[in-house]
Amino acid sequence: MVLSHSRALRSQASSGSASTAILGGVQVSLTLLEKSVDGMNIPFIKGVAGAALEVIKIAKAIQSNREGCENLVERSTSLLVVILGSLSGKTEDAIPDHLRRGVERLTGNFSEVLAELRIIDKRAQGWRAAFYYLDNGEKLKDCSVKLQWAMEEFQVTTNVDSCLKQLEHYAELRKGQERLQNGVDGVQNGMDGLQQGQDTIRESQQELLKGQASIEKSIKAVRDGLSGVQGAIKEQSNTQDSSSGPSTVMPPEPKLFGRDEYIDRAIKLLFSITGAKIAILGPGGMGKTSVALKIIYNALVVDRFGDNRCWIPCEQATSVPFLLELIAKSLNLPGSSSNDRLADIVNFLKTTKLPYILLLDNLETPWDIEGQQSNVAEVLATIACIPSVSFIITMRGNQPPSSDTIEWTEPRLPSLTQLDPDAAEEAFLRIGSNAKGDPELRTLLQKLDYMPLAITLMARLSEAGETVADLLEQWKSERTRLLDQPGGDRRNSIEVSIKLSLESRSVKGSPDALRLLSVLAMLPAGTALARLPDMCPSISGWRAALRVLRGAALVYDSADKSRIQMLSPIQSYILLHHPLGQEPLRELRASYYKLAPERKTEPRHPEFKNVVEELAIEETNMEAILINALHDRHGDREAAITISLSYTLYLFYQHPRTEIIAEAVQVAKETKSQQLPDCLKWHAMILRQQDRYDESESSFAAARDEFKKLGSVVEVADCNGLIGDLLSTRGLYDEARDLLQQAVDTLLALGDVEGAAWRRRDIGTAFFLEQDYQSACSIYQQARSEFDSVGNRLGSLRCLRPLGEALRLQGDYDAALSAIEEAWLGSVELGDLTGVAYSLLSLGTTFKNMKNYSMSIAKLEESRAIFTQMGDTSMIKACTQRIEEVRRLLAAG
């Protein structure tokens, strides 16, 4: 019964339309398969068949990712047909050991696929189907590839068994032929006397003819079988037919940019001793294979090794025997009847005594096979002992196989890192030449962190007609999905490349590695090691996890070893596919919120300089954390708004930027937060500092209206005064002073002396802009006295610098210099970077008026440096113009 079902299955599988047979008529296939499996009476065969059948059933039931499911059903059905056809009718004792081992390996393959498929099935339910569509597609593709390899491996095993059976049958046929010939002789001796013998002769002759035909047919089958055995044996060695197995033909020489120094260093190392052992390590996507091939194609290497340069594509080595066959094939070794392929390789290399160089490319594939690391190490160590053999390995991560077994040539090569910006641009333009001269190309390359694979894939999109601006916009929303080509592998899909690193044995074996990686992905500027315990207190094993991530090259140390960093494409992939859970996210936010405590972000606070010191190196991370928190509908958005305001106050005095406060305004409007008027006001304050006066006035007016709703008379008056201050920038000095004076009077009446002093200072500025410097000096002095009366040193210093400017413009240079120097030194003491920059500018201008040109240039250059740090392009330009003017005066004598 089982045999008949297997024949039916083979007939159906060979009918030509696999997809129709398997999916269109899947009910018939499943019926036949189920009957075949039920008829099995050998437990370990029934186990693998049952697992295969379960894979088919689940894949059929999944409604999303149909193409991937169809491919998996087809692979599983084909493999199950081969299993049933090869083993049906056998008793357990009749199954040879090599087939038994093949079935055991298949059981493991199907069990892994089944576990993965059950996860996919859960993710394909309801709303999850769309969310996990791409990830499920990748997992289905991986499952199909796994079964394809299993099919090829099992077919080699069954081909050998089939040929052995044919040889046995041939032997039986030969014996039958001899018996038949003896019968013919006997019949001929008795023909004269026996009519019955004549009848027997005729019957025997007919049987003879049939037997001869059968023998001829069997001999042909045996010859074909022997040819198949020979082909299977030679499959890994001396045939170049792509259908015979994985190819070890050397890929063409690659074109590289920015790797010359690294390659020169590797070649020197290769020739430093006989039998050099070199490891090229680094993250996925860095071009390790390309660098290694470039070394192999180097003229010196070609002269030394000639045709004895062997490329072994280890990514095909899904087992140690496969790895050995790949090495044997690259060496053009003939088939062997021995069971020790490693011995064949070693004997050949020792016997030839010719120099050989082996390039074991992507060694991490066999190295990461569970339970096989020691076997792979033994292969490497055994080959490494042959003096005439040099080898190069390429491997993901930062750690080569242990030096306990392999003596790596010193000094070892550093791990491959990103390209420099010039080389990255060359690499991009070699493919996407239409982007040449695009001013945004460097920005795009920076977003990719100069990773070679990401650059290549992005350049292909450019070559297809996408503009750099379009690619930048798409990268913002799609991230690594933009560089994920359908059906891609590690060479043409950034997502597949990163996923392989995440699935390495070390990462999967560390319970905290992926979680820590998700924390670090939230920090685009990396982090100092000392901050990790505070950022992720619930990850107790963070040190061990960090060692794993470093070893897998998923994170790296900055050049000065001060920070742990992650490549931008890896960061984007983790954020997309492995977002941080709510509890560790809450811990991370709490850690960063402590960096910008309320009121401590103003220069007059005694802890301001400490806050500046910490925030200055964490600004990029702080802004990423705040943007994430502001838009997290499941988090505490009100707390995020509060910290955004505090952080904006810090920015106001350091280097004014609107990105965070603008986001906070939108979220405050959406959530109807009571903090909306404060957000609007501080947004306007920074816009004013950036000389964006129209936008600033609009935001002040909106803030004033919101404060009115809250009944805050003080804030309404202050906003009116700030609007008045903006009128003076348009030359409406009288109107400006009227509004400002009304604000001063109202604030004083309400007892807000400090608020009144700020608006009085703005009145002084209106006089200053109108060039009434004497009145400006008087007002500045009055405002300064008010600040001093309430102990606001920052406000007092902010009056002192413009006072010095007004004195300078009246020709009183000594008094001006004294006032501005005091303002400068006070701003330095408080940590008021904006005050420092403007005071230095004023000092440089005053020294110019005093004809002290060298001192003038020195102060102006200091000022420009700080404005550069702040990113204030208009003030950088102003400083540069004044420096050039002073240099001309100095040159003129």
Side-chain angles (χ1 to χ4, degrees):
M1 179 65 73
V2 174
L3 182 60
S4 65
H5 288 315
S6 297
R7 286 172 178 162
L9 286 169
R10 283 199 298 272
S11 173
Q12 186 182 38
S14 62
S15 64
S17 180
S19 179
T20 302
I22 293 170
L23 290 168
V26 73
Q27 200 58 49
V28 176
S29 298
L30 284 174
T31 301
L32 289 171
L33 289 169
E34 286 169 344
K35 288 181 179 179
S36 298
V37 172
D38 289 341
M40 287 286 179
N41 55 8
I42 302 173
F44 72 90
I45 298 177
K46 193 167 185 176
V48 67
L53 191 60
E54 186 68 16
V55 167
I56 294 169
K57 287 179 178 179
I58 295 177
K60 176 181 176 291
I62 296 173
Q63 296 303 309
S64 64
N65 299 93
R66 290 309 305 153
E67 183 179 353
C69 290
E70 290 171 10
N71 288 336
L72 189 59
V73 169
E74 184 174 352
R75 291 269 189 270
S76 303
T77 303
S78 300
L79 187 48
L80 186 50
V81 167
V82 170
I83 297 168
L84 297 177
S86 302
L87 302 174
S88 61
K90 283 185 171 64
T91 63
E92 187 168 1
D93 293 339
I95 297 175
D97 288 342
H98 66 276
L99 277 180
R100 186 186 297 268
R101 288 193 298 271
V103 172
E104 289 172 354
R105 287 194 295 272
L106 284 176
T107 304
N109 294 137
F110 272 116
S111 297
E112 291 173 7
V113 170
L114 187 58
E116 197 69 56
L117 200 58
R118 283 171 176 152
I119 295 172
I120 294 170
D121 187 31
K122 289 180 182 178
R123 291 179 168 184
Q125 305 297 324
W127 62 270
R128 297 182 182 87
F131 186 79
Y132 287 108
Y133 182 83
L134 290 174
D135 195 42
N136 283 349
E138 285 298 323
K139 290 182 183 298
L140 286 166
K141 193 186 305 176
D142 292 344
C143 290
S144 292
V145 169
K146 186 185 290 289
L147 292 185
Q148 178 62 31
W149 274 103
M151 167 80 86
E152 293 174 5
E153 186 177 13
F154 189 70
Q155 281 179 328
V156 170
T157 304
T158 54
N159 282 343
V160 171
D161 188 57
S162 174
C163 292
L164 289 173
K165 287 193 296 183
Q166 289 178 9
L167 287 170
E168 292 170 4
H169 184 57
Y170 173 65
E172 289 296 323
L173 286 172
R174 289 297 300 270
K175 290 178 182 178
Q177 187 181 26
E178 291 173 2
R179 287 195 300 270
L180 186 59
Q181 186 62 50
N182 291 335
V184 170
D185 292 341
V187 169
Q188 287 176 342
N189 290 335
M191 280 182 64
D192 292 339
L194 296 170
Q195 183 64 42
Q196 186 178 0
Q198 291 176 343
D199 295 337
T200 302
I201 288 172
R202 283 194 296 272
E203 291 174 2
S204 296
Q205 286 174 334
Q206 290 174 358
E207 288 297 321
L208 176 61
L209 292 172
K210 290 180 182 178
Q212 286 175 332
S214 177
I215 288 169
E216 289 171 359
K217 184 176 180 181
S218 295
I219 289 172
K220 184 179 184 301
V222 169
R223 286 173 178 164
D224 291 343
L226 287 171
S227 176
V229 171
Q230 292 168 350
I233 292 171
K234 293 179 180 178
E235 184 178 21
Q236 304 296 325
S237 58
N238 59 357
T239 176
Q240 300 301 320
D241 184 358
S242 61
S243 64
S244 67
S247 172
T248 57
V249 176
M250 189 89 73
E253 182 178 1
K255 178 69 174 174
L256 291 184
F257 299 93
R259 299 300 195 196
D260 292 348
E261 185 178 339
Y262 191 96
I263 291 168
D264 289 345
R265 184 172 173 180
I267 291 169
K268 288 177 183 176
L269 201 59
L270 187 61
F271 285 92
S272 64
I273 62 170
T274 302
K277 312 296 181 287
I278 297 173
I280 298 176
L281 308 172
M286 280 298 158
K288 297 181 292 295
T289 296
S290 295
V291 168
L293 286 171
K294 197 72 174 177
I295 295 167
I296 290 292
Y297 276 104
N298 179 269
L300 293 174
V301 177
V302 173
D303 287 344
R304 171 75 177 275
F305 296 98
D307 292 335
N308 298 336
R309 296 167 297 127
C310 304
W311 176 65
I312 299 104
C314 297
E315 65 179 314
Q316 301 174 19
T318 54
S319 66
V320 176
F322 268 34
L323 173 63
L324 291 170
E325 284 301 328
L326 284 166
I327 297 172
K329 183 173 183 179
S330 73
L331 294 169
N332 291 319
L333 295 188
S336 172
S337 59
S338 77
N339 293 322
D340 193 344
R341 202 58 166 146
L342 179 58
D344 296 338
I345 294 166
V346 171
N347 289 336
F348 169 78
L349 291 171
K350 284 184 175 179
T351 302
T352 63
K353 296 183 180 179
L354 293 172
Y356 268 82
I357 182 167
L358 309 183
L359 168 51
L360 293 143
D361 193 20
N362 293 307
L363 185 65
E364 71 274 0
T365 300
W367 185 255
D368 277 336
I369 298 173
E370 188 172 356
Q372 294 299 310
Q373 196 173 93
S374 60
N375 294 330
V376 175
E378 181 185 354
V379 171
L380 293 177
T382 303
I383 295 174
C385 291
I386 304 171
S388 60
V389 177
S390 300
F391 67 69
I392 300 172
I393 70 163
T394 71
M395 192 170 181
R396 284 168 182 259
N398 292 321
Q399 298 170 343
S402 173
S403 56
D404 293 340
T405 54
I406 301 161
E407 189 174 343
W408 297 102
T409 304
E410 299 287 349
R412 300 185 190 183
L413 292 174
S415 294
L416 271 179
T417 57
Q418 309 100 302
L419 297 173
D420 65 64
D422 290 339
E425 185 170 348
E426 282 188 88
F428 187 99
L429 292 176
R430 178 173 175 266
I431 300 169
S433 57
N434 54 330
K436 188 172 184 178
D438 192 310
E440 292 189 284
L441 178 57
R442 284 293 177 107
T443 302
L444 177 62
L445 297 173
Q446 186 179 24
K447 296 287 185 186
L448 301 176
D449 231 341
Y450 309 112
M451 179 190 268
L453 177 59
I455 290 167
T456 298
L457 298 177
M458 193 70 85
R460 288 176 187 166
L461 295 176
S462 173
E463 184 185 31
E466 299 278 4
T467 67
V468 173
D470 288 341
L471 292 173
L472 273 169
E473 192 61 34
Q474 290 175 62
W475 177 257
K476 287 180 185 177
S477 57
E478 298 182 47
R479 295 290 180 178
T480 51
R481 283 177 178 164
L482 179 62
L483 306 179
D484 184 33
Q485 298 186 6
D489 58 20
R490 72 176 78 198
R491 290 174 294 273
N492 53 31
S493 169
I494 199 74
E495 294 218 334
V496 171
S497 179
I498 295 168
K499 187 178 178 184
L500 284 170
S501 295
L502 292 176
E503 291 180 347
S504 67
R505 183 181 52 80
S506 58
V507 174
K508 291 176 76 174
S510 171
D512 294 322
L514 187 55
R515 190 177 172 195
L516 179 60
L517 195 63
S518 296
V519 171
L520 295 173
M522 294 290 295
L523 309 173
T527 187
L529 185 66
R531 283 192 51 76
L532 279 177
D534 187 58
M535 290 192 304
C536 45
S538 61
I539 304 180
S540 57
W542 65 267
R543 290 185 183 277
L546 184 59
R547 283 194 295 272
V548 168
L549 296 177
R550 279 172 167 153
L554 287 164
V555 300
Y556 65 96
D557 292 309
S558 60
D560 61 1
K561 307 295 182 186
S562 65
R563 296 179 78 77
I564 301 152
Q565 295 181 296
M566 185 185 304
L567 291 170
S568 174
I570 297 176
Q571 179 204 11
S572 296
Y573 179 88
I574 297 299
L575 289 174
L576 195 62
H577 296 286
H578 301 282
L580 199 58
Q582 280 299 314
E583 181 56 26
L585 186 57
R586 185 195 63 76
E587 293 174 351
L588 179 62
R589 286 173 183 165
S591 175
Y592 271 86
Y593 286 1
K594 286 189 283 188
L595 296 181
E598 274 192 278
R599 310 315 301 173
K600 292 183 181 180
T601 51
E602 286 187 276
R604 58 178 162 168
H605 196 283
E607 293 186 33
F608 178 71
K609 292 185 79 171
N610 294 332
V611 170
V612 169
E613 188 176 339
E614 287 195 85
L615 267 179
I617 56 176
E618 294 292 341
E619 284 181 15
T620 302
N621 291 339
M622 186 69 171
E623 293 178 16
I625 295 291
L626 286 173
I627 292 293
N628 176 271
L630 286 168
H631 292 282
D632 182 2
R633 296 180 180 277
H634 302 290
D636 188 348
R637 301 174 87 184
E638 196 67 22
I641 294 172
T642 300
I643 300 301
S644 295
L645 278 166
S646 185
Y647 180 67
T648 297
L649 198 57
Y650 156 81
L651 290 177
F652 180 79
Y653 293 108
Q654 294 301 300
H655 30 86
R657 293 198 301 272
T658 60
E659 289 81 4
I660 295 299
I661 194 62
E663 291 289 340
V665 167
Q666 295 306 315
V667 173
K669 287 179 179 177
E670 180 185 334
T671 60
K672 296 180 171 54
S673 170
Q674 293 287 302
Q675 298 183 87
L676 174 59
D678 289 310
C679 291
L680 288 165
K681 180 180 177 182
W682 277 102
H683 188 210
M685 293 284 282
I686 291 188
L687 289 169
R688 181 180 71 160
Q689 199 138 329
Q690 294 178 336
D691 299 335
R692 296 160 64 181
Y693 300 125
D694 290 343
E695 294 172 80
S696 179
E697 183 177 352
S698 175
S699 192
F700 276 134
R704 178 189 60 194
D705 294 343
E706 292 297 326
F707 280 125
K708 280 182 181 178
K709 294 176 186 178
L710 296 178
S712 179
V713 180
V714 169
E715 290 293 351
V716 169
D718 197 43
C719 286
N720 278 328
L722 289 163
I723 292 170
D725 177 53
L726 291 173
L727 293 178
S728 64
T729 63
R730 300 176 187 165
L732 302 174
Y733 305 119
D734 291 336
E735 293 90 335
R737 282 191 289 268
D738 287 344
L739 270 178
L740 285 165
Q741 190 59 55
Q742 290 174 26
V744 169
D745 294 342
T746 302
L747 291 167
L748 286 174
L750 293 168
D752 186 2
V753 176
E754 183 179 320
W758 281 113
R759 300 294 72 82
R760 193 182 301 282
R761 175 185 176 275
D762 292 338
I763 293 173
T765 301
F767 279 117
F768 184 95
L769 292 173
E770 198 177 12
Q771 299 182 11
D772 184 351
Y773 302 123
Q774 189 173 358
S775 297
C777 285
S778 176
I779 297 296
Y780 285 139
Q781 290 282 21
Q782 189 177 353
R784 190 183 178 207
S785 297
E786 288 173 328
F787 279 124
D788 289 339
S789 70
V790 294
N792 187 337
R793 191 177 177 209
L794 174 66
S796 179
L797 292 170
R798 285 293 179 101
C799 291
L800 196 54
R801 187 195 66 82
L803 173 61
E805 279 287 299
L807 291 168
R808 177 183 67 82
L809 289 167
Q810 294 178 78
D812 192 349
Y813 300 134
D814 290 336
L817 192 62
S818 176
I820 297 169
E821 280 186 337
E822 186 180 345
W824 167 50
L825 294 171
S827 297
V828 169
E829 186 180 341
L830 289 181
D832 177 10
L833 196 62
T834 303
V836 172
Y838 278 99
S839 295
L840 284 167
L841 177 61
S842 295
L843 281 173
T845 306
T846 304
F847 279 122
K848 183 197 80 168
N849 291 150
M850 299 172 73
K851 297 185 173 15
N852 188 343
Y853 299 134
S854 58
M855 186 64 77
S856 174
I857 291 172
K859 295 303 178 185
L860 289 171
E861 286 181 339
E862 286 184 57
S863 177
R864 183 172 62 180
I866 296 175
F867 281 123
T868 300
Q869 179 185 339
M870 294 167 60
D872 191 331
T873 54
S874 64
M875 293 310 299
I876 294 169
K877 184 178 179 181
C879 288
T880 301
Q881 288 173 343
R882 294 196 190 184
I883 290 169
E884 290 172 352
E885 180 185 347
V886 176
R887 281 179 175 158
R888 283 195 297 270
L889 291 170
L890 184 61

